[in-house]
Amino acid sequence: MTPLVVFGIIILSLAALLIFGIIFFSILKYIKRKYYPNWKFPDYISVGYADYLYHKYIKKDLKQ
């Protein structure tokens, strides 16, 4: 195979991967929009709450 054919195959496979990724995430977005419209995923956890959970469950040094 010539280098041009190999380059073409690589570009074609990257394009196909991108197309399948777009289709996959579009289906996930459709499922979320249709079946779980009000579901909110927490984007972050506050540092204070994470510190509280660490001391409560891992170090176990908080008063009960």
Side-chain angles (χ1 to χ4, degrees):
M1 284 203 262
T2 65
L4 186 61
V5 172
V6 173
F7 180 71
I9 290 172
I10 290 172
I11 294 296
L12 185 63
S13 62
L14 286 175
L17 184 66
L18 182 64
I19 289 170
F20 287 129
I22 290 171
I23 290 171
F24 175 73
F25 286 110
S26 296
I27 290 171
L28 285 182
K29 187 168 181 125
Y30 168 77
I31 290 171
K32 182 201 173 295
R33 193 180 309 128
K34 180 149 177 85
Y35 297 108
Y36 305 102
N38 295 324
W39 185 70
K40 300 213 183 321
F41 185 78
D43 292 333
Y44 63 92
I45 182 170
S46 69
V47 176
Y49 187 60
D51 188 52
Y52 166 75
L53 291 177
Y54 170 74
H55 284 285
K56 182 175 182 183
Y57 293 109
I58 296 174
K59 286 189 79 175
K60 298 187 188 255
D61 61 354
L62 290 179
K63 297 175 184 168
Q64 296 294 347

